[in-house]
Amino acid sequence: MTPRLGLGIALAFWLAGQGATAQVALDGLVTAPADAETTAQQGEAEAAAAEVADPEALDAAEQALANAVPDLDDWQSRVAAAEALLGTGTGSSLALSRTRETLFGWRERFQALGSLNAGRIATVQGQISALGTPPESGEEQPAIAERRIVLNRQLDEISAPAVLAREAYARADGLISEVDSQLRARDTARLTTRGPSPLNPSNWGEALQSGHAALNTVVASAAARISSRFSSGSIWPGVPLSIMYLAVAIVLLARSRSWVSLLQDRVENSHARGRAIWSFLLSLWQIVLPTLGLSALILGLRQLGVLARSGDALSQAIFGAGFIVIVARWLNGQLFPQGEQGGPLGYPADVRSKIRSSGVALGIGLAAILIVAALMANAGASDASTGVVTLPLQVLLAAILFRLGYLLRHAPMDRAGKAGSSGRIRVSVGLLCIIVAIASPLLAAAGFAAASASLFAPSVMTLAIFGVIIVLQKLVYDIYAPSSETEGAGPLMPVVIGFGLFLLAVPVLSLVWGASVTDLAEVVAQFRAGFQVGETTISPGDFLTFVLIFGGGYLLTQFVKRQLKTTVLPRTKMDLGGQNAVSAGVGYVGIFLAALIAITTAGIDLSSLAIVAGALSVGIGFGLQTIVQNFVSGIILLIERPIGEGDMIEVNGNVGFVRNISVRSTRIETFDRTDVIIPNADLVSGQVTNWTRGNLVGRLILPIGVAYGTDVEKVRAILLEIAEAHPMVIADPGPQALFAAFGASSLDFELRMILRDVNWKVVTTDEILRQINARFMAEGIEVPFAQTDIWLRNPEKLHPAQPSAPAKPVEAPSDGPSTAREASSMMDASDLHDTDTDGDADPDGPT
């Protein structure tokens, strides 16, 4: 039986055994609820129909599967082989990794097929929904019931390929999980398995023999190749080319760095624009040119026959070791530059020199271990022999790393290096380096060679990766803020780019610490699959769709709002407040529509947020009522427009011009140029005086007092003359000078006038009062001031030697002579009686 025929028969049984809820089991479709009797009747009818149509359903299913998955036989064979490999548990790690890659590719295909016939399924579902809910009594019109059965059967048929694809996806996903589990178990066993210790003397003899054999193998192979070329005469045509390669290699390896450094100094000392970028690009040639020299060296040795022409392991190890040294020199030179010029990490020049030498020595040690390991592997040495030979190098590298960590942790830093959290980060990194330097050789000496290698090399590579990030971030800061010297200054973009560099380094660090490319692909696949929120699955594609549509709608709204405010509305007869209200309303409606369209297009189901919305309504009712009140008040202000931008208003004792009306509050600018934020609720529910609503014309009333006995008509004439002559006072209706009242110390007048622009109220008041003061002085009109009369009931106490002298009232102003104040201070509190300010005599009179 072929796999396709078996799947077809299984599909036929599946179609025959399902009832009215078949689409629920297949595609998560929820049909209208019905009672048990109705469901049973429909199930029997559909089962009978399915039995009659079994051959047709089988043919249709086979054809759909063949069209959707043409190589379904290959999938069956692959999955059977994977299950057999996992069942035995004896397959190699390489075989498991390749099986995982194959299953991963099939899983991606089945994930894409999960939405097969989605459009057609949605159409049929709409047709079924259009038929309505089956009646609870079960008495449905025969034509509608028959049509419902046909549509449900059709829905089952077109949903079958997508259902089987999702089932295959689940199968592939489960097998991938099993493969990952076995690979993790093997990695754990490899790291925790203890091998022969390099400190065991019984392994030293074998290690010496293996090392001697490795050197002899390399020398013998090279001598054999050279001798063979000599004897055949084929060496001589390649000698000139070999000499040219070796000469180029010597020049590039010896002099290229100094050439690039000279060019860098010239660029950095110049005032050319973008010199930071040019200096960094030039520094990259310190990697490119020596790498070219290293390649020329290997080519020259191959031409002479010292190295094999084919890509053997020794040639690859030499090239890799040389590249490590080149990168180590470049990176340490960028992080810890020579001279007095400070580096990006904030260490003084002497400390930078020590750290730079330690970093370069660390790269040279790693290169030496790489070459020694290649030599031992080329000679077929055992792991114990390789561990004995490489242990001294590991101890030396650990000592270098310990020194590097100690310098990073304890070396003095300048003020810029100590500032902020960067100093604490360097201290923590130094501590981790010390821990790795101690643990790695101990693990190797104890026989855990795999664990030691898995700890030391990734740690050093992690330091290198973070060093590259620091160099690139320094370049970004130099580009965006070349003149910024204070920490934290400059634009935000360098910080954002630095965060992006860190995110890009995460997958690289994962690969360094043992993750495979398929592991990263698995993370990406799970990320693409999305995450579940209630009954809604939100994928990165949906989120990106939402962001793009909402962002586009927001930008379009802002464009329309700006065009309305600057081009369209100024050409209408609408006032400034109405224009601002219309543009603000368009902005709010546009943002709401953009969010609604984005949510609908992204397929986010808002019905699942009903409970959250109910909880939010309770929170709004209690904790956010003030904010909601201000929000509603802001909408009322924009609709009714009792105030508008540019109006001069008075509210809560604050007088100023309205500068901005937002949803929550309104900002007014007072006359002393301070901004006052008024909640919108105060503007709607409180009393607001709008001095410029409708027009700028406003009344100015100036109270003026003159001394008793002054000619009233003369005063009125002077006041009217001054008011009528002022250019800000309108002539119709003209100003009025009114005799208001008999004051306590003056005759009170009111000068009332209508100003053309009430915004000039303060200036006009100043000008008119100064003119009135000048005219009154010229006409001899006195402006009185308040006076106070003090009556003493027992004045004889002030003069005890003359008790029979008649008492006379003593009149003294509040700021009278010092003798009166001294006399007042000598009086008893009970002697003071009836202080008034109207100048009337005491009704009791003096005693």
Side-chain angles (χ1 to χ4, degrees):
M1 180 183 296
T2 63
R4 181 176 300 176
L5 182 58
L7 285 175
I9 295 175
L11 178 62
F13 280 110
W14 173 75
L15 288 173
Q18 298 299 315
T21 58
Q23 59 271 30
V24 176
L26 290 179
D27 201 24
L29 302 174
V30 180
T31 59
D35 56 15
E37 183 180 358
T38 304
T39 304
Q41 292 176 357
Q42 292 181 351
E44 292 175 0
E46 291 180 6
E51 291 177 359
V52 175
D54 273 351
E56 297 180 359
L58 177 60
D59 294 339
E62 289 181 349
Q63 185 63 36
L65 290 173
N67 294 334
V69 188
D71 51 348
L72 190 62
D73 294 338
D74 182 58
W75 155 248
Q76 292 293 335
S77 61
R78 296 277 186 179
V79 74
E83 290 175 347
L85 182 65
L86 292 172
T88 58
T90 57
S92 62
S93 298
L94 180 61
L96 289 174
S97 299
R98 290 180 177 177
T99 301
R100 191 190 189 285
E101 293 177 1
T102 303
L103 293 174
F104 183 82
W106 277 101
R107 190 181 65 175
E108 291 290 311
R109 292 182 58 185
F110 287 128
Q111 185 180 12
L113 292 174
S115 58
L116 193 65
N117 297 332
R120 182 60 182 158
I121 290 173
T123 302
V124 176
Q125 289 175 350
Q127 291 178 271
I128 296 175
S129 300
L131 295 179
T133 304
E136 297 182 359
S137 62
E139 297 178 358
E140 189 176 17
Q141 295 183 4
I144 297 178
E146 182 180 357
R147 183 58 179 167
R148 191 187 304 277
I149 293 173
V150 172
L151 289 175
N152 284 327
R153 188 190 313 123
Q154 185 179 1
L155 179 63
D156 295 340
E157 293 175 357
I158 61 179
S159 300
V163 172
L164 294 177
R166 288 194 290 272
E167 183 272 335
Y169 171 85
R171 188 179 185 185
D173 187 68
L175 292 174
I176 289 175
S177 300
E178 295 182 30
V179 171
D180 291 339
S181 178
Q182 289 196 10
L183 288 175
R184 284 193 295 268
R186 294 187 179 188
D187 289 339
T188 302
R190 180 178 61 86
L191 295 176
T192 56
T193 300
R194 182 179 180 183
S197 174
L199 299 180
N200 189 354
S202 61
N203 297 324
W204 296 353
E206 180 185 356
L208 292 176
Q209 293 178 1
S210 298
H212 186 266
L215 293 176
N216 287 338
T217 300
V218 173
V219 174
S221 299
R225 285 191 294 269
I226 295 174
S227 176
S228 175
R229 295 194 178 199
F230 264 113
S231 60
S232 62
S234 59
I235 192 174
W236 303 111
V239 170
L241 186 59
S242 176
I243 294 175
M244 182 186 70
Y245 280 140
L246 293 177
V248 171
I250 292 172
V251 171
L252 292 179
L253 291 175
R255 301 297 302 170
S256 60
R257 286 181 54 85
S258 59
W259 295 342
V260 174
S261 298
L262 290 175
L263 291 176
Q264 277 188 280
D265 292 338
R266 291 185 179 181
V267 171
E268 291 177 355
N269 293 330
S270 65
H271 298 283
R273 186 177 182 181
R275 60 182 181 272
I277 300 177
W278 289 111
S279 178
F280 177 76
L281 293 177
L282 284 174
S283 70
L284 294 179
W285 286 98
Q286 294 181 351
I287 299 177
V288 175
L289 294 180
T291 303
L292 293 177
L294 182 62
S295 301
L297 176 63
I298 293 177
L299 290 176
L301 295 178
R302 284 181 176 178
Q303 289 291 331
L304 292 177
V306 176
L307 297 177
R309 287 185 176 273
S310 60
D312 60 334
L314 183 59
S315 299
Q316 295 177 359
I318 293 175
F319 182 83
F323 187 76
I324 289 175
V325 175
I326 292 171
V327 173
R329 294 184 65 184
W330 173 83
L331 183 58
N332 284 276
Q334 295 295 315
L335 293 174
F336 312 101
Q338 297 179 356
E340 297 299 328
Q341 182 181 4
L345 296 181
Y347 288 101
D350 55 341
V351 177
R352 292 201 305 269
S353 176
K354 295 177 182 178
I355 298 178
R356 184 173 60 251
S357 60
S358 299
V360 174
L362 195 62
I364 295 173
L366 287 175
I369 287 183
L370 184 62
I371 294 176
V372 170
L375 289 173
M376 299 297 287
N378 190 33
S382 62
D383 294 339
S385 300
T386 303
V388 171
V389 174
T390 57
L391 181 61
L393 293 175
Q394 292 178 356
V395 173
L396 179 61
L397 281 177
I400 297 173
L401 183 61
F402 185 90
R403 181 173 183 265
L404 179 62
Y406 182 83
L407 290 173
L408 290 175
R409 182 175 174 82
H410 298 288
M413 293 180 290
D414 55 19
R415 183 170 57 184
K418 293 180 181 179
S421 61
S422 57
R424 295 190 295 271
I425 294 176
R426 286 191 285 271
V427 170
S428 301
V429 171
L431 178 60
L432 293 177
C433 290
I434 293 174
I435 294 174
V436 172
I438 295 175
S440 180
L442 292 178
L443 289 173
F448 298 97
S452 176
S454 299
L455 176 63
F456 189 85
S459 299
V460 176
M461 295 181 68
T462 301
L463 287 177
I465 291 171
F466 279 113
V468 172
I469 294 176
I470 292 173
V471 171
L472 294 178
Q473 193 168 10
K474 179 180 180 298
L475 173 64
V476 173
Y477 272 101
D478 291 340
I479 293 173
Y480 278 91
S483 61
S484 177
E485 296 180 357
T486 59
E487 186 173 354
L492 179 63
M493 187 57 64
V495 180
V496 176
I497 295 178
F499 182 72
L501 291 175
F502 178 77
L503 291 181
L504 291 177
V506 170
V508 180
L509 291 173
S510 301
L511 294 175
V512 166
W513 285 96
S516 61
V517 178
T518 54
D519 293 332
L520 298 180
E522 178 70 19
V523 174
V524 173
Q526 292 180 358
F527 181 73
R528 288 173 53 192
F531 55 92
Q532 198 79 14
V533 178
E535 297 180 357
T536 303
T537 300
I538 300 178
S539 64
D542 297 337
F543 180 75
L544 183 61
T545 301
F546 173 81
V547 171
L548 291 177
I549 295 179
F550 180 75
Y554 178 79
L555 294 177
L556 180 61
T557 300
Q558 296 300 316
F559 174 77
V560 173
K561 180 180 176 181
R562 184 167 52 253
Q563 292 300 316
L564 284 175
K565 194 171 184 179
T566 59
T567 305
V568 178
L569 294 177
R571 302 181 182 218
T572 63
K573 297 181 179 180
M574 192 178 300
D575 59 357
L576 181 59
Q579 296 177 16
N580 294 329
V582 171
S583 61
V586 170
Y588 296 143
V589 173
I591 292 175
F592 175 76
L593 292 178
L596 185 62
I597 295 173
I599 291 173
T600 305
T601 307
I604 301 176
D605 187 10
L606 296 181
S607 60
S608 59
L609 301 178
I611 299 178
V612 179
L616 286 178
S617 63
V618 176
I620 290 173
F622 288 96
L624 304 179
Q625 56 182 349
T626 303
I627 297 177
V628 174
Q629 183 182 9
N630 290 325
F631 179 81
V632 175
S633 300
I635 296 177
I636 294 175
L637 289 177
L638 292 176
I639 294 176
E640 293 186 355
R641 297 187 291 111
I643 61 174
E645 292 187 12
D647 290 351
M648 185 175 70
I649 66 173
E650 180 179 356
V651 56
N652 296 337
N654 298 298
V655 181
F657 297 95
V658 178
R659 296 306 183 194
N660 181 39
I661 302 176
S662 62
V663 177
R664 191 195 66 84
S665 61
T666 297
R667 179 173 62 89
I668 66 173
E669 181 182 351
T670 62
F671 294 106
D672 55 359
R673 295 299 185 265
T674 59
D675 288 343
V676 179
I677 308 301
I678 307 295
N680 289 332
D682 294 349
L683 298 175
V684 173
S685 60
Q687 182 177 357
V688 181
T689 302
N690 195 333
W691 295 95
T692 58
R693 180 63 180 170
N695 55 66
L696 299 178
V697 177
R699 172 178 287 180
L700 175 61
I701 300 177
L702 297 179
I704 300 170
V706 297
Y708 277 91
T710 307
D711 188 353
V712 175
E713 296 301 326
K714 182 178 180 181
V715 173
R716 291 184 68 254
I718 293 174
L719 296 179
L720 289 176
E721 179 183 352
I722 294 175
E724 291 173 352
H726 197 281
M728 191 57 66
V729 180
I730 64 176
D732 188 16
Q736 294 178 323
L738 304 177
F739 185 12
F742 291 97
S745 303
S746 63
L747 301 176
D748 296 336
F749 290 83
E750 283 187 356
L751 179 59
R752 300 187 176 190
M753 65 205 84
I754 305 297
L755 303 183
R756 303 178 188 276
D757 190 346
V758 75
N759 293 319
W760 294 85
K761 183 177 180 180
V762 177
V763 176
T764 304
T765 300
D766 172 71
E767 293 176 351
I768 291 179
L769 289 180
R770 284 192 287 110
Q771 294 178 18
I772 292 175
N773 182 60
R775 286 291 303 275
F776 280 4
M777 292 179 64
E779 299 290 340
I781 299 176
E782 179 185 356
V783 177
F785 54 87
Q787 298 181 5
T788 303
D789 294 338
I790 300 177
W791 292 81
L792 302 180
R793 178 176 295 276
N794 299 316
E796 65 275 7
K797 290 187 177 183
L798 297 176
H799 307 283
Q802 300 175 359
S804 60
K808 296 182 180 180
V810 179
E811 180 179 351
S814 58
D815 54 350
S818 59
T819 57
R821 288 196 299 268
E822 293 175 358
S824 299
S825 63
M826 295 173 60
M827 291 186 300
D828 187 76
S830 62
D831 296 333
L832 293 177
H833 181 73
D834 191 17
T835 301
D836 58 7
T837 58
D838 56 358
D840 296 336
D842 187 356
D844 296 335
T847 59

Short mmCIF file of all heavy atoms in Angstrom, two decimals, residues 672-703:
data_model
loop_
_atom_site.label_atom_id
_atom_site.label_comp_id
_atom_site.label_asym_id
_atom_site.label_seq_id
_atom_site.Cartn_x
_atom_site.Cartn_y
_atom_site.Cartn_z
N ASP A 672 3.76 87.99 32.13
CA ASP A 672 5.17 87.91 32.53
C ASP A 672 5.88 86.74 31.85
O ASP A 672 6.91 86.28 32.34
CB ASP A 672 5.29 87.80 34.05
CG ASP A 672 4.48 86.64 34.60
OD1 ASP A 672 3.82 85.95 33.81
OD2 ASP A 672 4.52 86.41 35.83
N ARG A 673 5.29 86.25 30.75
CA ARG A 673 5.89 85.21 29.89
C ARG A 673 6.07 83.87 30.62
O ARG A 673 7.03 83.16 30.39
CB ARG A 673 7.23 85.68 29.33
CG ARG A 673 7.14 86.87 28.40
CD ARG A 673 6.28 86.54 27.18
NE ARG A 673 6.27 87.62 26.22
CZ ARG A 673 5.35 88.56 26.15
NH1 ARG A 673 4.35 88.56 27.02
NH2 ARG A 673 5.40 89.50 25.24
N THR A 674 5.17 83.54 31.49
CA THR A 674 5.17 82.22 32.12
C THR A 674 3.98 81.43 31.59
O THR A 674 2.91 81.99 31.30
CB THR A 674 5.07 82.34 33.65
OG1 THR A 674 3.87 83.03 33.99
CG2 THR A 674 6.27 83.06 34.21
N ASP A 675 4.17 80.12 31.46
CA ASP A 675 3.11 79.25 30.98
C ASP A 675 2.34 78.67 32.16
O ASP A 675 2.94 78.18 33.12
CB ASP A 675 3.70 78.10 30.15
CG ASP A 675 4.20 78.57 28.80
OD1 ASP A 675 3.80 79.68 28.40
OD2 ASP A 675 4.98 77.85 28.16
N VAL A 676 1.04 78.74 32.07
CA VAL A 676 0.16 78.19 33.10
C VAL A 676 -0.69 77.11 32.43
O VAL A 676 -1.36 77.37 31.42
CB VAL A 676 -0.74 79.27 33.72
CG1 VAL A 676 -1.67 78.65 34.76
CG2 VAL A 676 0.11 80.36 34.35
N ILE A 677 -0.65 75.91 32.99
CA ILE A 677 -1.41 74.79 32.45
C ILE A 677 -2.73 74.70 33.21
O ILE A 677 -2.75 74.46 34.41
CB ILE A 677 -0.62 73.47 32.58
CG1 ILE A 677 0.78 73.63 31.98
CG2 ILE A 677 -1.37 72.34 31.91
CD1 ILE A 677 0.78 74.01 30.52
N ILE A 678 -3.84 74.89 32.50
CA ILE A 678 -5.17 74.88 33.09
C ILE A 678 -5.87 73.59 32.67
O ILE A 678 -6.00 73.33 31.46
CB ILE A 678 -6.00 76.10 32.65
CG1 ILE A 678 -5.22 77.40 32.93
CG2 ILE A 678 -7.35 76.11 33.33
CD1 ILE A 678 -4.99 77.66 34.38
N PRO A 679 -6.33 72.75 33.59
CA PRO A 679 -7.13 71.57 33.19
C PRO A 679 -8.38 72.00 32.44
O PRO A 679 -9.02 73.01 32.78
CB PRO A 679 -7.45 70.89 34.52
CG PRO A 679 -6.41 71.38 35.48
CD PRO A 679 -6.09 72.77 35.04
N ASN A 680 -8.75 71.24 31.43
CA ASN A 680 -9.90 71.61 30.61
C ASN A 680 -11.20 71.61 31.42
O ASN A 680 -12.14 72.33 31.09
CB ASN A 680 -10.02 70.65 29.43
CG ASN A 680 -8.93 70.88 28.41
OD1 ASN A 680 -8.42 71.99 28.28
ND2 ASN A 680 -8.55 69.85 27.68
N ALA A 681 -11.26 70.78 32.46
CA ALA A 681 -12.46 70.76 33.27
C ALA A 681 -12.70 72.11 33.94
O ALA A 681 -13.86 72.54 34.10
CB ALA A 681 -12.37 69.65 34.33
N ASP A 682 -11.65 72.83 34.33
CA ASP A 682 -11.81 74.15 34.92
C ASP A 682 -12.36 75.15 33.92
O ASP A 682 -13.09 76.08 34.28
CB ASP A 682 -10.48 74.65 35.48
CG ASP A 682 -10.00 73.81 36.65
OD1 ASP A 682 -10.80 73.00 37.16
OD2 ASP A 682 -8.83 73.95 37.05
N LEU A 683 -12.02 75.00 32.66
CA LEU A 683 -12.49 75.92 31.64
C LEU A 683 -13.94 75.67 31.28
O LEU A 683 -14.64 76.58 30.82
CB LEU A 683 -11.62 75.80 30.38
CG LEU A 683 -10.14 76.14 30.55
CD1 LEU A 683 -9.38 75.87 29.27
CD2 LEU A 683 -9.97 77.59 30.96
N VAL A 684 -14.40 74.42 31.43
CA VAL A 684 -15.78 74.10 31.08
C VAL A 684 -16.72 74.35 32.26
O VAL A 684 -17.80 74.92 32.11
CB VAL A 684 -15.88 72.64 30.59
CG1 VAL A 684 -17.32 72.23 30.38
CG2 VAL A 684 -15.09 72.47 29.30
N SER A 685 -16.33 73.93 33.46
CA SER A 685 -17.22 74.04 34.62
C SER A 685 -17.01 75.33 35.41
O SER A 685 -17.89 75.72 36.18
CB SER A 685 -17.01 72.84 35.55
OG SER A 685 -15.66 72.79 36.01
N GLY A 686 -15.88 75.98 35.25
CA GLY A 686 -15.61 77.19 36.00
C GLY A 686 -15.98 78.45 35.23
O GLY A 686 -16.50 78.42 34.11
N GLN A 687 -15.73 79.60 35.87
CA GLN A 687 -16.01 80.90 35.25
C GLN A 687 -14.77 81.38 34.53
O GLN A 687 -13.68 81.48 35.12
CB GLN A 687 -16.44 81.92 36.31
CG GLN A 687 -16.78 83.29 35.74
CD GLN A 687 -17.27 84.26 36.80
OE1 GLN A 687 -17.40 83.87 37.96
NE2 GLN A 687 -17.54 85.49 36.42
N VAL A 688 -14.92 81.68 33.23
CA VAL A 688 -13.82 82.11 32.39
C VAL A 688 -14.20 83.44 31.74
O VAL A 688 -15.31 83.58 31.20
CB VAL A 688 -13.50 81.06 31.30
CG1 VAL A 688 -12.34 81.54 30.44
CG2 VAL A 688 -13.18 79.72 31.94
N THR A 689 -13.32 84.40 31.83
CA THR A 689 -13.51 85.69 31.17
C THR A 689 -12.67 85.73 29.91
O THR A 689 -11.44 85.62 29.97
CB THR A 689 -13.12 86.85 32.10
OG1 THR A 689 -13.90 86.78 33.31
CG2 THR A 689 -13.34 88.19 31.43
N ASN A 690 -13.35 85.85 28.77
CA ASN A 690 -12.67 85.91 27.48
C ASN A 690 -12.71 87.36 27.00
O ASN A 690 -13.76 87.87 26.58
CB ASN A 690 -13.34 84.99 26.47
CG ASN A 690 -12.47 84.75 25.24
OD1 ASN A 690 -11.65 85.59 24.89
ND2 ASN A 690 -12.65 83.60 24.61
N TRP A 691 -11.56 88.02 27.09
CA TRP A 691 -11.50 89.44 26.75
C TRP A 691 -11.57 89.69 25.25
O TRP A 691 -11.91 90.79 24.82
CB TRP A 691 -10.22 90.05 27.30
CG TRP A 691 -10.15 90.07 28.80
CD1 TRP A 691 -9.55 89.15 29.59
CD2 TRP A 691 -10.71 91.04 29.66
NE1 TRP A 691 -9.69 89.48 30.91
CE2 TRP A 691 -10.41 90.66 30.99
CE3 TRP A 691 -11.44 92.23 29.45
CZ2 TRP A 691 -10.82 91.40 32.09
CZ3 TRP A 691 -11.84 92.97 30.55
CH2 TRP A 691 -11.53 92.55 31.85
N THR A 692 -11.24 88.74 24.45
CA THR A 692 -11.12 88.97 23.01
C THR A 692 -12.04 88.06 22.21
O THR A 692 -11.81 87.85 21.02
CB THR A 692 -9.66 88.75 22.56
OG1 THR A 692 -9.26 87.41 22.90
CG2 THR A 692 -8.74 89.74 23.21
N ARG A 693 -13.05 87.45 22.83
CA ARG A 693 -13.94 86.57 22.10
C ARG A 693 -14.83 87.39 21.17
O ARG A 693 -15.48 88.35 21.57
CB ARG A 693 -14.82 85.79 23.08
CG ARG A 693 -15.80 84.83 22.42
CD ARG A 693 -15.06 83.76 21.65
NE ARG A 693 -15.96 82.82 21.01
CZ ARG A 693 -15.58 81.92 20.13
NH1 ARG A 693 -14.31 81.84 19.79
NH2 ARG A 693 -16.45 81.10 19.59
N GLY A 694 -14.88 87.07 19.92
CA GLY A 694 -15.70 87.78 18.94
C GLY A 694 -14.98 88.96 18.33
O GLY A 694 -14.92 89.08 17.12
N ASN A 695 -14.47 89.89 19.15
CA ASN A 695 -13.71 91.04 18.64
C ASN A 695 -12.73 91.47 19.71
O ASN A 695 -12.77 91.01 20.85
CB ASN A 695 -14.66 92.19 18.26
CG ASN A 695 -15.56 92.59 19.41
OD1 ASN A 695 -15.09 93.10 20.43
ND2 ASN A 695 -16.87 92.36 19.25
N LEU A 696 -11.87 92.42 19.34
CA LEU A 696 -10.83 92.88 20.23
C LEU A 696 -11.22 94.13 21.00
O LEU A 696 -10.42 94.62 21.81
CB LEU A 696 -9.54 93.16 19.42
CG LEU A 696 -8.95 91.95 18.69
CD1 LEU A 696 -7.72 92.37 17.90
CD2 LEU A 696 -8.60 90.84 19.67
N VAL A 697 -12.42 94.66 20.75
CA VAL A 697 -12.86 95.88 21.41
C VAL A 697 -13.20 95.57 22.86
O VAL A 697 -13.86 94.56 23.16
CB VAL A 697 -14.07 96.49 20.69
CG1 VAL A 697 -14.57 97.72 21.42
CG2 VAL A 697 -13.69 96.84 19.26
N GLY A 698 -12.74 96.43 23.79
CA GLY A 698 -13.02 96.21 25.20
C GLY A 698 -13.02 97.52 25.97
O GLY A 698 -12.44 98.53 25.53
N ARG A 699 -13.69 97.52 27.12
CA ARG A 699 -13.82 98.73 27.92
C ARG A 699 -12.69 98.80 28.94
O ARG A 699 -12.27 97.79 29.50
CB ARG A 699 -15.16 98.75 28.65
CG ARG A 699 -15.30 99.88 29.66
CD ARG A 699 -16.65 99.89 30.31
NE ARG A 699 -17.66 100.38 29.38
CZ ARG A 699 -18.96 100.49 29.69
NH1 ARG A 699 -19.37 100.15 30.88
NH2 ARG A 699 -19.81 100.94 28.79
N LEU A 700 -12.25 100.07 29.16
CA LEU A 700 -11.25 100.37 30.18
C LEU A 700 -11.83 101.39 31.14
O LEU A 700 -12.31 102.44 30.73
CB LEU A 700 -9.96 100.91 29.53
CG LEU A 700 -8.87 101.38 30.49
CD1 LEU A 700 -8.39 100.23 31.38
CD2 LEU A 700 -7.71 101.99 29.71
N ILE A 701 -11.81 101.08 32.43
CA ILE A 701 -12.34 101.98 33.47
C ILE A 701 -11.19 102.34 34.40
O ILE A 701 -10.54 101.46 34.98
CB ILE A 701 -13.47 101.30 34.27
CG1 ILE A 701 -14.63 100.91 33.33
CG2 ILE A 701 -13.96 102.20 35.39
CD1 ILE A 701 -15.76 100.17 34.03
N LEU A 702 -10.95 103.67 34.55
CA LEU A 702 -9.88 104.16 35.40
C LEU A 702 -10.48 104.96 36.55
O LEU A 702 -11.11 106.02 36.34
CB LEU A 702 -8.91 105.06 34.61
CG LEU A 702 -8.16 104.39 33.45
CD1 LEU A 702 -7.26 105.41 32.75
CD2 LEU A 702 -7.34 103.22 33.96
N PRO A 703 -10.35 104.53 37.81
CA PRO A 703 -10.82 105.32 38.96
C PRO A 703 -9.82 106.44 39.28
O PRO A 703 -8.60 106.22 39.33
CB PRO A 703 -10.91 104.29 40.08
CG PRO A 703 -9.90 103.25 39.70
CD PRO A 703 -9.88 103.20 38.21
#
